[in-house]
Amino acid sequence: MVATPTDLSYLTAAEVGKLFRSRELSPVDLTRAHLERIDALQPRLKAFVTVTADIALHEARVAEAALLRGDDRPLLGVPVAYKDLYMTAGVRTTAGSLVHEHWTPEITATTVDKLHDAGMVMLGKLTTHEFASGMTPLDHPLPPARNPWNTDRVPGGSSSGSGAALAAGLTVGALGTDTGGSIRNPGTYCGIAALKPTYGRCSRHGVFTLSWSLDHTGPMARTCDDLALMLNAMAGHDAKDPASARVPTEDFTATLGAGISGLKIGVLRSWYEPDTATAVTAAVDTAYRVLKDLGAIVTDVEIPNVSLAASISAIMMPEAYAYHAADLAETPEKYAPQLRARLASGGLYLADEYVSAQRARQILKQDVAELLKDVDLLVTPTAAKTAPGFDTAYAEAMRRGPSYTGLFNMTGLPALSVPCGFDETGMPIGLQIAGRPFAEATVLRAGHAYEQAAGWHARHPEL
């Protein structure tokens, strides 16, 4: 049996399952180890809003009994935690805001229910930027999470606690949400694997809204293997989500090990390279060579109207304002000042600006669809730079640099971030891999092949 909490911290779901079934490890022991590690590191990392220790231990005992009966669910007994935008009946759900600081919902998000049905053990609720949008002030009663690689740096947002908890070995799996990059940005900043599935692939029922037409839910883990296992459990049509797609589910693990020989990969170099840090460009260039060595056909490609991706704000912010308008009017003091101003700005967009942005979105979707007739996947860095310090992030929050993630929210395509190196300060760099609609299996296959060849996922911060 594995001996200490530290030894257990970075096991994958696949490894955990083998240890459970060989009786070398029990769900109760694994859960206790994670709870001990959370207790030790939470004061430094602030990754959790709420730790549900009693629930976790109860669910772990239920999982242990099921294993003894021969239950073979792959995720049975595996620890998971949820971004605090996911509603959990009977458990406080804050959305990172004083507006809901003490709110306990009566419903549970569909995806949380699905992972519970898969046998996963809930450790708690994870820190999020306020309402998945505002940079939470350091002195906020619900403080921001810290990056385990350097606690003076941000972990990325808005699924900040999810990224931090995974990088620190506080959970095996996590859920995040992604409206403009909020799953993949913590993925790159924290050096983990993070997937935004196709729009409509996973239900958003029971999850706080930022932007109805851009919001996605998705899994976060440390390997593509674990992402695939979680996606198996959480994907599927949900009548409670109006945007949920009626697309058959599949086994996303089935082709993970099939390799990528002959796969056509398009590099959007001319789009990202002018604004990308030298260390990031070097890391992704090295990643492209690894993909070529694995047999992929890697070529530079262009999207004719890629600049239209910048119109995402003219869609996101009016929709966010519409969602928050009543609370902004009734309890403006409960919003952090920066977020209050940001949301209020959404009410200043004109109808023709919103409609024009939606028209630009359709042009962009057509351009990308045409390009994906010639290549199977598109790759970019996940972010132009590595994680900034808190001081820089707060100063630049309203004038952020280029985004390479929002393109795939605008088009609704599946997009993955996997670690592909480190910069000169020791901070992680991410490679973004995107594919055709509902081609998560191909995206994950490429990510898995790369991560196994490159090995960056096996590096962890010293804590």
Side-chain angles (χ1 to χ4, degrees):
M1 180 162 177
V2 187
T4 68
T6 301
D7 294 332
L8 298 175
S9 302
Y10 291 106
L11 293 173
T12 67
E15 291 167 340
V16 164
K18 291 178 183 178
L19 289 170
F20 285 167
R21 285 161 182 81
S22 66
R23 308 290 172 84
E24 296 175 76
L25 179 65
S26 79
V28 174
D29 288 341
L30 182 64
T31 298
R32 284 186 176 138
H34 278 84
L35 290 171
E36 288 175 19
R37 190 167 174 86
I38 292 167
D39 187 57
L41 293 177
Q42 173 66 8
R44 291 171 56 196
L45 299 180
K46 316 292 187 190
F48 280 79
V49 178
T50 303
V51 178
T52 54
D54 291 344
I55 292 173
L57 289 169
H58 169 73
E59 292 180 348
R61 293 186 189 102
V62 170
E64 190 166 310
L67 283 162
L68 291 173
R69 294 194 301 269
D71 194 321
D72 62 355
R73 285 174 289 171
L75 292 171
L76 182 61
V78 175
V80 67
Y82 303 110
K83 182 178 183 177
D84 207 27
L85 292 184
Y86 286 79
M87 297 176 196
T88 42
V91 177
R92 183 175 70 145
T93 303
T94 70
S97 177
L98 297 182
V99 176
H100 295 289
E101 184 179 10
H102 304 294
W103 185 59
T104 302
E106 297 180 357
I107 66 168
T108 295
T110 296
T111 44
V112 172
D113 270 338
K114 286 190 170 191
L115 293 186
H116 178 266
D117 290 345
M120 297 195 85
V121 172
M122 183 174 76
L123 296 173
K125 308 298 291 296
L126 295 161
T127 302
T128 172
H129 287 182
E130 186 175 4
F131 285 117
S133 183
M135 286 286 295
T136 307
L138 289 170
D139 60 354
H140 196 274
L142 300 168
R146 303 280 184 151
N147 194 315
W149 293 94
N150 181 336
T151 54
D152 291 329
R153 306 282 191 104
V154 301
S158 62
S159 307
S160 50
S162 303
L166 286 161
L170 305 184
T171 183
V172 179
L175 290 189
T177 64
D178 194 312
T179 307
S182 290
I183 284 174
R184 290 157 290 156
N185 284 329
T188 182
Y189 284 179
C190 292
I192 61 160
L195 175 69
K196 181 196 78 64
T198 308
Y199 185 76
R201 171 69 90 174
C202 297
S203 174
R204 302 168 307 170
H205 170 71
V207 182
F208 277 95
T209 298
L210 176 57
S211 170
W212 289 279
S213 69
L214 295 166
D215 287 350
H216 300 64
T217 60
M220 301 171 69
R222 286 186 291 270
T223 66
C224 290
D225 196 349
D226 283 4
L227 292 177
L229 286 170
M230 291 178 68
L231 191 60
N232 277 354
M234 62 187 288
H237 179 257
D238 178 15
K240 296 176 181 178
D241 178 0
S244 184
R246 292 184 179 276
V247 175
T249 57
E250 57 187 288
D251 181 359
F252 298 100
T253 68
T255 58
L256 274 182
I260 57 172
S261 180
L263 209 62
K264 296 178 180 178
I265 298 178
V267 176
L268 295 171
R269 191 185 307 275
S270 62
W271 178 43
Y272 72 75
E273 201 161 62
D275 299 305
T276 302
T278 301
V280 175
T281 299
V284 296
D285 282 346
T286 300
Y288 302 154
R289 290 194 289 272
V290 172
L291 293 171
K292 287 180 180 179
D293 290 343
L294 292 169
I297 302 165
V298 182
T299 57
D300 285 8
V301 297
E302 293 187 4
I303 299 172
N305 296 291
V306 72
S307 62
L308 295 178
S311 61
I312 187 172
S313 292
I315 297 172
M316 183 190 304
M317 296 319 302
E319 292 186 3
Y321 174 75
Y323 182 82
H324 286 279
D327 285 334
L328 282 169
E330 294 171 11
T331 56
E333 73 283 356
K334 291 188 176 182
Y335 289 83
Q338 189 182 78
L339 176 61
R340 186 166 65 239
R342 188 169 190 229
L343 290 173
S345 73
L348 302 177
Y349 283 87
L350 301 176
D352 68 303
E353 292 173 315
Y354 178 78
V355 171
S356 294
Q358 291 287 15
R359 292 180 65 193
R361 183 182 194 174
Q362 293 306 312
I363 293 169
L364 191 62
K365 289 175 74 171
Q366 291 168 7
D367 286 349
V368 175
E370 193 65 28
L371 178 56
L372 285 170
K373 292 178 181 178
D374 298 322
V375 296
D376 300 297
L377 299 169
L378 298 172
V379 292
T380 71
T382 309
K385 301 176 183 177
T386 55
F390 278 91
D391 52 351
T392 301
Y394 287 126
E396 297 180 352
M398 299 300 285
R399 53 180 191 278
R400 296 172 182 172
S403 168
Y404 308 138
T405 52
L407 166 65
F408 301 109
N409 294 83
M410 291 282 276
T411 56
L413 299 176
L416 165 74
S417 181
V418 290
C420 72
F422 293 82
D423 71 2
E424 63 279 1
T425 68
M427 298 305 292
I429 297 169
L431 176 72
Q432 182 174 222
I433 305 172
R436 297 170 182 142
F438 302 101
E440 287 87 356
T442 303
V443 170
L444 289 167
R445 174 160 57 99
H448 176 77
Y450 171 74
E451 74 181 5
Q452 294 302 307
W456 296 112
H457 68 289
R459 295 198 183 188
H460 309 301
E462 295 180 8
L463 292 164

